[in-house]
Each structure stands twice: as C-alpha cells, then as structure tokens.
Amino acid sequence: MKKNENSKDVYDAVADPTRRHILHLLAKVEEMPLYELTSHFQMGRTAVSKHLSILKHAGLVTSRKVGRETRFRLNAEPLQEIQDWVTYYTKFWNDNISLLNQLLQEEQNMPTVSLDFHFNRPIERVWLALTDPKKLAKWVMENDFKPIVGHKFQFRTEPNPVWDGIVHSEVLVVDQPNKLFYTWETAGESTTVTWTLKEMDGTTHLHLEQIGFENEGHAYHGAKQGWTLMAKKLDQVLAEL
C-alpha cells in the first residue's frame, strides 16, 4: 500500500470518536482483551471488533492470541504524521498571531487624533450633517460624498503652495445613525476617520478618531486643530437645520 494511502487510513481511523476512545483506553495499559474493551462501550463485541479492524488496518493497533482470547495493543507510531501536521499549522498560527500582535502594537503607538464634541441636537440631525454632501460642504469641504460602503469620493478646497487641497477617501462603514468610518488620504498621509454618535438626555455625543499618522508632525497637529475649528462650524450648521 502506498504511503499516502496509509496516511489517509490513519486520518480516517482517528476521525471517529469511538475509535479515538479505544486508542485512549489502550494508551493506559500494555494490552487489553476484546471483552474488556467492549465493557467500556454501549455496543456489542461485533461492533467493537469492526472498529478495531479499522484501527489495525491503519497500523494503530496490533493484536496477539493468548489461548482463546485476542489481546490488543496500541501502536502510536502512525500518529506521528498527524502530530507533524498539527505542529506545522500550530507554528503557522503562532507566527501569524505574533505578526498580528506586532501590527497592533505599532498601531497603538501611532499618534491618534481623538476629540469629543457635544451638541444639544437630535442624533438624526447630527448624522445628516455628517452624511449630506451639501451640509458637509458647509463645515468641512466641498465633496461628492455618499453614505454607501465602498463609495470613493473626495473632499476639495483651494490649494496652497504646500497642499493640493484634495483629500481622497472611501467609505468603509455606515451604521446609521451610530457610526461612520472612511479613509482620509492626503499630503502623503494615509489615515482613517471614525465618527461615533450617541444620544443621551437630548444631547448628541460625537466622538472623532483619526488614526494612521506616521508621527506627531505637521499633518497630525494640522488635523487636530482643523477638526476643532470645523466642529465649531458644525455647531452653526446644526443650528440652521
């Protein structure tokens, strides 16, 4: 029989919980007769014998005659291939989890613009100001925004000697009226902007989080100051709604 066929037999043999329990029982003793094995299951000797035949075919169990009874013994060697297979994927996941932890640590160390604003307005009105392109233009910039996941759009304003005045964005999450999440790429910085809204006692609490800045340089401080100034304009826009 070919090696890959033997491997298939081993995997098939241990796929059944009854056969796994037989291996577990045999692992505790040097050998065990059929009648004693059968006493551990709610099935007859014939059914247990069929399971033992499959295990013997896979090379996981050997047997010998002692007088009129047959005694069975565990042969764990074929299980080494399964152990090797599991070990390979354990290493795969451990390596990837380590990489994920490294990325998360790097993200945590990145500067984050985190600001909170409070408006004595209904949450639906604040959501409208965040998602209606005409309202957005009054407090952020001219835009072609649509509250549709996957929609790519731009914020645009007058350029200056150090900036072309364009922000490239894509909508990633729309959870009306609780969360809005989109990319914000401009001036060599690739960041994301998340708006989280909560209404309590007639006041809408608006949290802004912009992450992805490489350092606390001009772009970071510009964003922090810019959003603070734009929030004041947002308050005026909400008053007009």
Side-chain angles (χ1 to χ4, degrees):
M1 183 178 292
K2 296 180 180 179
K3 183 177 179 180
N4 63 344
E5 291 177 342
N6 280 329
S7 300
K8 181 176 182 296
D9 289 338
V10 172
Y11 286 106
D12 287 344
V14 299
D16 184 90
T18 298
R19 293 194 285 273
R20 290 198 299 271
H21 189 41
I22 290 174
L23 294 176
H24 178 69
L25 292 170
L26 292 176
K28 295 180 178 181
V29 296
E30 184 175 352
E31 59 183 18
M32 189 179 292
L34 176 59
Y35 78 87
E36 190 173 339
L37 277 169
T38 303
S39 68
H40 291 274
F41 300 94
Q42 293 183 338
M43 62 179 71
R45 297 178 67 169
T46 301
V48 174
S49 293
K50 288 182 179 179
H51 285 295
L52 285 166
S53 295
I54 294 172
L55 291 170
K56 287 180 65 177
H57 183 72
L60 291 167
V61 168
T62 60
S63 64
R64 70 185 183 98
K65 280 281 189 179
V66 179
R68 298 182 60 182
E69 72 177 15
T70 303
R71 291 179 169 269
F72 297 91
R73 179 192 299 255
L74 173 67
N75 177 35
E77 184 178 349
L79 293 173
Q80 183 62 49
E81 181 176 346
I82 295 178
Q83 175 64 35
D84 293 342
W85 184 81
V86 171
T87 299
Y88 171 80
Y89 283 99
T90 299
K91 182 179 183 302
F92 170 82
W93 282 114
N94 286 341
D95 290 346
N96 280 276
I97 289 172
S98 296
L99 179 59
L100 175 60
N101 287 332
Q102 179 183 339
L103 292 173
L104 290 174
Q105 186 63 42
E106 290 175 356
E107 183 176 292
Q108 289 177 354
N109 293 333
M110 287 182 175
T112 299
V113 174
S114 182
L115 299 170
D116 288 289
F117 309 104
H118 310 284
F119 303 102
N120 294 321
R121 311 290 176 184
I123 191 171
E124 292 80 7
R125 192 175 297 182
V126 179
W127 178 263
L128 180 63
L130 289 173
T131 56
D132 182 272
K134 292 183 179 179
K135 305 296 186 297
L136 271 174
K138 291 183 178 181
W139 67 278
V140 184
M141 287 179 267
E142 292 291 334
N143 63 90
D144 55 343
F145 176 85
K146 292 180 181 179
I148 300 172
V149 173
H151 175 64
K152 295 181 179 180
F153 65 100
Q154 292 181 342
F155 285 109
R156 299 178 298 275
T157 190
E158 291 295 324
N160 59 48
V162 295
W163 182 42
D164 63 4
I166 300 175
V167 178
H168 301 277
S169 299
E170 180 179 352
V171 180
L172 301 179
V173 174
V174 178
D175 180 16
Q176 183 177 352
N178 302 304
K179 188 173 184 178
L180 182 64
F181 179 32
Y182 48 78
T183 60
W184 184 281
E185 299 180 9
T186 187
E189 292 277 357
S190 181
T191 63
T192 58
V193 172
T194 303
W195 296 100
T196 305
L197 298 81
K198 293 182 180 179
E199 186 175 22
M200 295 178 62
D201 301 325
T203 298
T204 297
H205 302 271
L206 180 62
H207 176 71
L208 163 71
E209 194 165 276
Q210 186 171 2
I211 65 173
F213 295 99
E214 293 183 1
N215 52 60
E216 293 188 10
H218 175 75
Y220 168 79
H221 291 289
K224 192 171 184 179
Q225 182 180 11
W227 287 119
T228 301
L229 293 173
M230 285 187 281
K232 294 180 180 179
K233 293 183 180 179
L234 173 58
D235 195 23
Q236 297 172 1
V237 171
L238 292 172
E240 297 171 358
L241 292 178

